[in-house]
């Protein structure tokens, strides 16, 4: 079998369409493992995966942990809270410490954009970005793609509407990058205070009105609204947000009849999404969680199962 | 006051290309320096002195002989952060960079907002000799933007201007009174133009690249708003107002308009804003993290044009030394600033070779133009009788910028490891040789 051409997964940028397809196809093979009575294969026996989490995260960390364990890797979780950062170990020292433990893969979630790139340049192992600041969340984009393909049969030429806080969302950036590879029309909609600068540069269509943005959509991706956005004059109230951009049954009626609704979680019911949608048969939120384990198993396998010296995914210049 | 030792032996710089913007001179000539002054400039002017045994003759054929360079914006970190730089290492770096005078900003620890600190750093520099130190004091006590500093005291102690450096004076009434009060004592008022409300958490220029990198943006508007407001206040108060490290095309437009109406305003630009754009950040290179941020190609083009036509008066390095610990980390944690004193000339000569800036204008932007903004400045010219502040550049010398090549205590520059062409080879301050390049 042909080796995977990257050592790290730092970003969707830098992945080709066929590489994405390879990851998704590999995930498909692993998907079934999680539904077996004995949910474990020996693929990564003797390999060490360190989950290095600088931000609290339940689902992503759990998903990576399960993925590693189901592949028989030794998985260690390091949760570095904000308080121990303020006590002063630098990322440089943390990298040195980790390197001395000889991991095969470091999975990093960090509040600072670019921190995974930093770690990848300083530890001699594969690095997977599990979300860095507002920059990228490539495994989320891949699991979303897997979920879409599973429910819609294809990723090609779909209309995907991303709703809400695009400005602060690494999920939106990575999804837009991935979906463009498959010719999708990516739309973003939300109050202008929650759209990033030069939003057009993401290659997306920008809408001010939810009804127009949802018309004819195959996929509706709902982003989480953080209540801290009320500070800094970005939103007047969650009430007004829910009323203007929240996704309820009425809004979904504008999308295609077989459109699906996605949410990276955790959901704020009654704010960005109504329970009538979140719990409907159009919602694939739990399928996303299940896909997440399979996609992360595929990535661990591709990166740690066959380590190469090739350039990282998402390394620029 | 201590004075620099003035050598009595005449110094003849023979056969160089003499570039003196104050007289428009650009020709091969000798420059004769005696008793701390320019004694004579002209073809074979040195011949009359060369017969004297007690004279030093330096062959500078192929080199440029310029009025001494002046840097209106540096950070020497003393007192308080001597692990990054101190006055001795900073002035040594300045001399090696071709600068006869540098103007440190007041953001030391403690802040230079009073006579005692100003006197301390001025005295320290005089003890060291060589490159002169002409400090900025703070505009407001503690750089807090509220109460004015004792500017008469600061001026008497040696301050040439006032600035709150990285903390823009946000309150318009305070800024108005600062301008009025500074005008009384002929102090230049230099402003770091940043509306801090618009730049909370900002890491880089706001635009397509900040969106791509997921870093919080610093919009041009934050700079332009303060420049516009301050120009209105400069007109109201008649103060000598100076825009520090201008970076946006909008600010350039505003300065151009104000100058066209005869306002006493000026601006400086850094080498890094002239040479780089935010494209340099695409791999989260912390050495390119700087405030104001590197902007886009259209800004850079506007800055180059404005420097060439004089809308921007001068080049200043904003020399901002930082230790490895402050740069070898997450981009968002990294300190802002680029080490610039020893790379400015070498890196900017590329613009001259590319004919973006004419040699005389280049020299003016580094010597006479900043000199004009400093009260009672005696250098900035090679005319006979002027103080002998002279910078000699070897424009063709190729060298590699290594950590060892730098006299600064820090080496936070994106140029590290690059081959550069051109380098200052001699710096003469008040007739005394403050730096001379050792040729291998």
């Amino acid at each position: 079998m042909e080796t995977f051409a990257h050592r790290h997964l730092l970003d969707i940028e830098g992945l080709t369409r066929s590489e994405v397809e390879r990851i998704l196809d590999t995930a498909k093979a692993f998907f079934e493992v999680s539904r077996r009575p004995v949910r474990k294969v020996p693929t990564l026996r003797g390999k060490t995966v360190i989950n290095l989490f600088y931000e609290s995260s339940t689902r992503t960390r759990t998903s990576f942990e399960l993925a590693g364990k189901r592949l028989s890797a030794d998985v260690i979780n390091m949760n570095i809270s904000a308080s121990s950062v303020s006590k002063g170990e630098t990322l440089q020292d943390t990298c040195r410490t980790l390197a001395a433990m000889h991991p095969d893969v470091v999975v990093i979630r960090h509040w600072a954009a670019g921190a995974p790139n930093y770690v990848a340049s300083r530890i001699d192992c594969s690095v997977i970005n599990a979300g860095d600041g507002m920059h990228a969340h490539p495994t989320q984009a891949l699991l979303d793609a897997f979920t879409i393909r599973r429910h819609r049969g294809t990723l090609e030429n779909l209309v995907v509407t991303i709703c809400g806080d695009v400005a602060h969302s690494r999920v939106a950036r990575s999804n837009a990058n991935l979906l463009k590879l498959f010719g999708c029309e990516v739309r973003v909609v939300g109050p202008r205070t929650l759209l990033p600068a030069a939003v057009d540069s993401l290659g997306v269509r920008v809408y001010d009105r939810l009804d127009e943005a949802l018309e004819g959509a195959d996929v509706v991706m709902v982003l989480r609204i953080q209540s801290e956005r009320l500070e800094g004059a970005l939103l007047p109230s969650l009430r007004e947000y829910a009323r203007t951009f929240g996704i309820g049954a009425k809004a979904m009626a504008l999308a295609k009849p077989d459109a699906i609704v996605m949410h990276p979680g955790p959901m704020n019911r009654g704010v960005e999404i109504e329970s009538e949608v979140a719990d409907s048969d159009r919602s694939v939120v739990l399928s996303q969680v299940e896909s997440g384990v399979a996609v992360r198993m595929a990535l661990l396998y591709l990166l740690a199962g066959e380590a190469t010296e090739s350039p990282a995914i998402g390394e620029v210049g | 006051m201590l004075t620099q030792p003035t050598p009595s032996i005449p110094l003849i710089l023979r056969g160089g290309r003499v570039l003196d913007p104050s007289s428009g001179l650009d020709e091969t000539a000798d420059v004769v320096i005696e008793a701390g002054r320019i004694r004579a400039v002209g073809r074979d002017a040195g011949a009359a002195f060369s017969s004297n045994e007690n004279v030093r003759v330096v062959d500078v054929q192929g080199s440029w002989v310029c009025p001494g360079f002046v840097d209106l914006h540096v950070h020497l970190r003393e007192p308080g952060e001597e692990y990054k730089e101190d006055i001795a290492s900073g002035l040594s770096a300045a001399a090696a960079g071709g600068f006869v005078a540098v103007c440190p900003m007041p953001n030391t620890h403690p802040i230079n907002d009073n006579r005692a600190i100003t006197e301390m750093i001025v005295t320290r520099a005089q003890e060291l000799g060589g490159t002169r130190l002409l400090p900025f004091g703070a505009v407001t006590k503690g750089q807090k933007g509220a109460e004015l500093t004792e500017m008469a005291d600061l001026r008497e102690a040696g301050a040439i201007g006032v600035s709150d450096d990285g903390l823009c004076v946000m309150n318009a009434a305070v800024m108005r009174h600062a301008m009025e009060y500074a005008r009384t004592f002929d102090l230049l008022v230099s402003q770091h133009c940043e509306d801090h409300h618009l730049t909370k958490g900002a890491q880089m220029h706001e635009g397509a690249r900040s969106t791509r990198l997921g870093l919080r943006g610093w919009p041009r508007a934050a700079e332009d708003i303060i420049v516009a407001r301050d120009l209105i206040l400069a007109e109201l108060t008649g103060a000598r107002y100076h825009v520090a490290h201008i970076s946006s095309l909008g600010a350039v437009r505003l300065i151009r308009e104000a100058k066209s109406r005869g306002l006493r305003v000026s601006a400086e630009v850094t080498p890094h804003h002239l040479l780089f754009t935010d494209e340099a950040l695409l791999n989260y290179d912390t050495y390119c993290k700087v405030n104001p941020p590197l902007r886009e190609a259209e800004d850079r083009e506007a800055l180059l044009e404005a420097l060439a036509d004089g809308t921007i008066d001068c080049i200043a390095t904003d020399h901002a030394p930082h230790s490895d610990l402050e740069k070898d980390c997450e981009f968002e944690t990294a300190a802002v600033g680029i080490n610039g004193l020893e790379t400015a000339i070498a890196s900017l000569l590329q613009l001259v070779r590319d004919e973006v800036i004419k040699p005389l204008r280049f020299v003016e932007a580094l010597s006479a133009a900043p000199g004009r903004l400093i009260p009672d400045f005696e250098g900035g010219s090679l005319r006979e009788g002027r103080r002998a502040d002279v910078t000699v550049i070897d424009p063709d010398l190729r060298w590699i910028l290594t950590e060892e090549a730098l006299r600064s205590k820090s080496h936070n520059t994106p140029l590290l490891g690059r081959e550069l062409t051109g380098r200052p080879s001699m710096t003469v301050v008040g007739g005394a040789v403050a730096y001379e390049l050792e040729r291998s």
Side-chain angles (χ1 to χ4, degrees):
Chain A
M1 189 166 146
E2 186 195 350
T3 55
F4 194 62
H6 300 278
R7 188 176 192 199
H8 310 295
L9 177 69
L10 305 177
D11 197 353
I12 294 296
E13 278 190 64
L15 276 184
T16 63
R17 177 175 164 150
S18 67
E19 286 166 343
V20 170
E21 283 170 338
R22 168 108 183 263
I23 295 166
L24 300 182
D25 291 345
T26 309
K28 203 170 172 186
F30 282 115
F31 187 81
E32 161 281 323
V33 172
S34 293
R35 293 190 167 189
R36 288 181 192 168
V38 177
R39 293 178 282 278
K40 208 175 186 88
V41 291
T43 316
L44 293 187
R45 199 165 52 198
K47 302 279 185 181
T48 304
V49 176
I50 298 181
N51 288 331
L52 179 63
F53 275 62
Y54 283 82
E55 262 184 356
S56 61
S57 154
T58 306
R59 67 186 61 211
T60 304
R61 205 213 65 219
T62 310
S63 180
F64 269 109
E65 189 174 351
L66 267 182
K69 286 182 170 167
R70 285 180 182 169
L71 292 171
S72 304
D74 296 312
V75 181
I76 289 100
N77 292 319
M78 292 180 65
N79 297 317
I80 302 181
S81 64
S83 61
S84 70
V85 170
S86 59
K87 275 182 209 151
E89 186 172 72
T90 63
L91 188 55
Q92 188 186 6
D93 279 338
T94 304
C95 285
R96 286 180 179 154
T97 305
L98 291 183
M101 297 175 183
H102 304 291
D104 297 286
V105 181
V106 168
V107 175
I108 178 171
R109 156 72 62 95
H110 202 289
W111 47 265
N117 305 57
Y118 180 96
V119 172
S121 68
R122 280 163 183 81
I123 307 182
D124 185 23
C125 72
S126 289
V127 173
I128 298 178
N129 180 1
D132 61 330
M134 304 186 297
H135 172 227
H137 196 348
T139 62
Q140 180 74 43
L142 287 162
L143 77 86
D144 286 346
F146 186 89
T147 308
I148 293 170
R149 209 164 73 161
R150 186 159 165 246
H151 291 272
R152 299 285 313 196
T154 179
L155 266 177
E156 274 180 63
N157 305 322
L158 299 174
V159 175
V160 182
T161 304
I162 304 177
C163 308
D165 188 2
V166 178
H168 302 90
S169 176
R170 53 197 175 211
V171 175
R173 282 168 175 74
S174 287
N175 266 310
N177 283 330
L178 190 152
L179 293 166
K180 281 187 294 176
L181 293 174
F182 291 86
C184 293
E185 175 184 323
V186 182
R187 303 172 177 177
V188 300
V189 62
R192 293 275 171 169
T193 47
L194 297 183
L195 297 184
V199 59
D200 301 342
S201 66
L202 293 174
V204 298
R205 289 192 181 188
V206 182
Y207 289 79
D208 289 316
R209 293 179 53 99
L210 187 62
D211 50 358
E212 290 170 7
L214 291 179
E215 199 179 326
D218 296 282
V219 178
V220 180
M221 289 185 169
V222 187
L223 300 174
R224 182 175 161 77
I225 291 291
Q226 315 264 4
S227 57
E228 69 210 54
R229 303 294 169 239
L230 297 174
E231 298 152 27
L234 292 175
L235 281 181
S237 67
L238 294 180
R239 175 190 160 276
E240 180 153 295
Y241 181 84
R243 202 171 65 73
T244 46
F245 296 101
I247 303 296
K250 201 174 140 203
M252 280 307 293
L254 297 161
K256 283 193 182 152
D258 54 352
I260 55 171
V261 178
M262 310 178 80
H263 193 298
M267 293 187 283
N268 294 305
R269 291 169 182 262
V271 182
E272 71 266 10
I273 190 165
E274 296 295 331
S275 287
E276 63 194 18
V277 173
D279 301 331
S280 71
D281 56 5
R282 295 174 138 196
S283 167
V284 297
V285 172
L286 295 178
S287 179
Q288 288 173 274
V289 176
E290 192 177 8
S291 305
V293 177
V295 163
R296 287 163 181 139
M297 286 171 82
L299 286 165
L300 289 172
Y301 165 71
L302 290 170
L303 298 176
E306 1 172 282
T308 68
E309 294 301 317
S310 304
I313 299 170
E315 256 180 11
V316 182
Chain B
M1 286 232 307
L2 297 164
T3 51
Q4 310 249 352
T6 305
S8 51
I9 305 171
L11 172 66
I12 298 168
L13 304 172
R14 189 156 69 193
R17 177 180 177 183
V18 177
L19 288 151
D20 184 8
S22 73
S23 57
L25 189 72
D26 179 0
E27 61 181 43
T28 302
D30 298 345
V31 173
V32 181
I33 294 162
E34 191 178 29
R37 297 274 150 184
I38 305 289
R39 176 73 186 273
V41 177
R43 199 172 291 271
D44 300 325
F49 297 85
S50 305
S51 54
N52 188 337
E53 278 178 22
N54 213 3
V55 58
R56 182 172 177 213
V57 181
V58 180
D59 181 359
V60 291
Q61 285 182 69
S63 291
W64 295 5
V65 181
C66 316
F69 295 163
V70 178
D71 191 343
L72 271 183
H73 195 140
V74 302
H75 299 271
L76 301 186
R77 308 300 189 200
E78 184 180 347
E81 293 179 308
E82 291 84 354
Y83 67 97
K84 302 182 192 217
E85 194 81 285
D86 58 26
I87 292 171
S89 67
L91 291 182
S92 173
F99 293 99
V100 300
V102 294
C103 305
M105 283 290 157
N107 66 330
T108 46
H109 302 284
I111 290 161
N112 182 13
D113 61 359
N114 62 74
R115 177 193 282 266
I117 303 291
T118 303
E119 281 177 350
M120 188 279 276
I121 59 176
V122 168
T123 303
R124 176 83 187 113
Q126 284 170 344
E127 285 165 5
L128 291 161
T131 294
R132 287 188 165 80
L133 185 156
L134 307 170
F136 277 92
V139 175
T140 61
K141 288 176 186 152
Q143 293 177 282
K144 288 190 171 132
E147 299 170 58
L148 298 184
T149 54
E150 295 176 324
M151 295 187 196
D153 259 10
L154 292 172
R155 180 82 182 86
E156 280 170 29
I160 55 98
V162 287
S163 175
D164 272 355
D165 188 55
L167 297 167
C168 181
V169 180
M170 288 294 293
N171 182 315
V174 172
M175 190 60 186
R176 175 204 177 150
H177 296 314
M179 285 184 176
E180 290 167 339
Y181 198 70
R183 184 184 170 180
T184 314
F185 306 103
D186 193 27
L187 286 157
L188 184 68
V189 182
S190 173
Q191 176 88 295
H192 167 103
C193 297
E194 174 181 358
D195 184 326
H196 293 292
H197 296 301
L198 284 169
T199 59
K200 281 221 172 85
Q203 301 293 321
M204 65 176 290
H205 170 67
E206 180 181 289
R209 293 192 176 109
S210 65
T211 292
R212 180 173 169 194
L213 291 169
L215 293 170
R216 283 179 202 273
W218 198 129
R220 294 185 184 99
E223 177 168 341
D224 302 350
I225 282 168
I226 298 297
V227 172
R229 181 202 74 177
D230 285 356
L231 291 172
I232 292 166
L233 291 174
E235 187 165 16
L236 176 69
T237 61
R240 289 199 298 126
Y241 172 72
H242 181 75
V243 175
H245 43 46
I246 191 168
S247 72
S248 86
L249 79 175
V252 166
R253 249 184 248 135
L254 290 161
I255 296 279
R256 186 172 281 133
E257 191 277 337
K259 284 193 165 185
S260 75
R261 292 189 296 112
L263 264 61
R264 294 203 302 169
V265 299
S266 55
E268 72 192 25
V269 63
T270 70
H272 44 270
H273 289 107
L274 292 170
L275 295 165
F276 294 97
T277 66
D278 62 350
E279 194 177 2
L281 296 168
L282 285 180
N283 254 335
Y284 298 97
D285 183 356
T286 57
Y287 278 173
C288 292
K289 182 177 177 182
V290 67
N291 190 11
L294 302 175
R295 297 200 188 273
E296 299 179 42
E298 55 187 342
D299 299 280
R300 178 172 172 260
E301 282 155 25
L303 295 172
L304 289 168
E305 186 192 354
L307 179 65
D309 73 18
T311 300
I312 294 173
D313 299 73
C314 55
I315 294 163
T317 65
D318 191 9
H319 174 74
H322 290 294
S323 74
D324 279 346
L325 269 181
E326 292 151 312
K327 286 291 190 181
D328 189 3
C329 57
E330 301 92 332
F331 191 87
E332 292 176 44
T333 310
V336 290
I338 294 175
N339 193 305
L341 277 170
E342 294 166 85
T343 56
I345 305 310
S347 58
L348 289 170
L349 277 169
Q350 186 62 46
L351 299 175
V352 179
R353 284 192 293 274
D354 293 344
E355 299 182 1
V356 177
I357 299 172
K358 293 191 169 72
L360 264 180
R361 173 66 193 129
F362 173 74
V363 172
E364 183 187 38
L366 285 158
S367 60
R372 277 195 289 274
L373 301 174
I374 297 171
D376 309 323
F377 189 72
E378 290 183 81
S381 168
L382 295 179
R383 288 172 187 269
E384 267 182 45
R386 293 292 285 263
R387 187 173 66 209
D389 288 352
V390 182
T391 299
V392 183
I393 303 172
D394 181 339
D396 303 314
L397 184 72
R398 292 157 84 94
W399 58 295
I400 293 172
L401 182 72
T402 59
E403 288 178 34
E404 297 72 36
L406 290 172
R407 292 182 171 200
S408 170
K409 283 190 184 179
S410 303
H411 51 260
N412 51 306
T413 161
L415 299 170
L416 204 62
R418 292 220 202 156
E419 189 187 60
L420 301 171
T421 301
R423 192 172 186 177
S425 56
M426 184 182 271
T427 307
V428 179
V429 182
V433 176
Y435 171 76
E436 199 168 351
L437 179 68
E438 282 176 39
R439 311 255 181 183
S440 50

